[in-house]
Amino acid sequence: MPEEDCLLDIKFRLYDGSDMGPFQYSSASTIDMLKQRVVSDWPKGKTVIPKTASEIKLIRSGKVLDNSRTVGQCKLPFGDVAGGGTVIMHVVVQPSSTKTKTEKKVDDSPRNVVCSCSIL
């Protein structure tokens, strides 16, 4: 049975508690499409700014949403937004680790460990 294509208002809650939206999406919209929108509409003046959609995770009801899935496939509870409600998705930004220069280098070299144990 095919899913019914309905429109859903989605608001994105950022790391500092501010919101983006609400924006209206079809249940056939992919999570990747939502991430692209978040990156393109990211508010100016924030301390953390995602450069690509791959730096963002969208979370709904404690679950990280998969890029290839549609809003409808994520089993968002459409029933609890009946009557004009808005779904809130939390946005987590994880900048790529390749550009962090202050990160300490981990020493992976083997070490000799001497253990002196006395048995009574």
Side-chain angles (χ1 to χ4, degrees):
M1 179 166 103
E3 293 179 16
E4 182 181 326
D5 190 28
C6 59
L7 295 177
L8 185 66
D9 288 330
I10 299 176
K11 188 185 302 188
F12 300 101
R13 177 123 330 133
L14 306 181
Y15 64 91
D16 62 355
S18 63
D19 291 334
M20 289 175 55
F23 303 109
Q24 201 168 64
Y25 291 97
S26 161
S27 61
S29 300
T30 63
I31 298 304
D32 187 55
M33 291 168 62
L34 275 63
K35 287 177 158 186
Q36 296 290 339
R37 175 78 181 261
V38 168
V39 170
S40 67
D41 290 354
W42 193 263
K44 305 292 184 233
K46 297 286 184 190
T47 56
V48 177
I49 301 171
K51 293 189 178 7
T52 65
S54 63
E55 294 181 347
I56 293 178
K57 292 191 185 301
L58 293 181
I59 300 173
R60 169 73 176 146
S61 299
K63 296 180 182 177
V64 176
L65 304 177
D66 182 31
N67 288 349
S68 62
R69 299 186 65 109
T70 65
V71 171
Q73 289 172 328
C74 291
K75 297 190 182 355
L76 295 178
F78 292 107
D80 65 335
V81 294
T86 302
V87 171
I88 296 176
M89 291 186 181
H90 294 268
V91 179
V92 176
V93 180
Q94 294 181 314
S96 66
S97 60
T98 57
K99 60 181 181 176
T100 57
K101 294 180 181 178
T102 59
E103 190 176 301
K104 291 182 180 179
K105 184 177 180 181
V106 176
D107 184 13
D108 290 333
S109 61
R111 297 184 180 187
N112 294 332
V113 178
V114 177
C115 178
S116 62
C117 302
S118 57
I119 301 176
L120 299 175

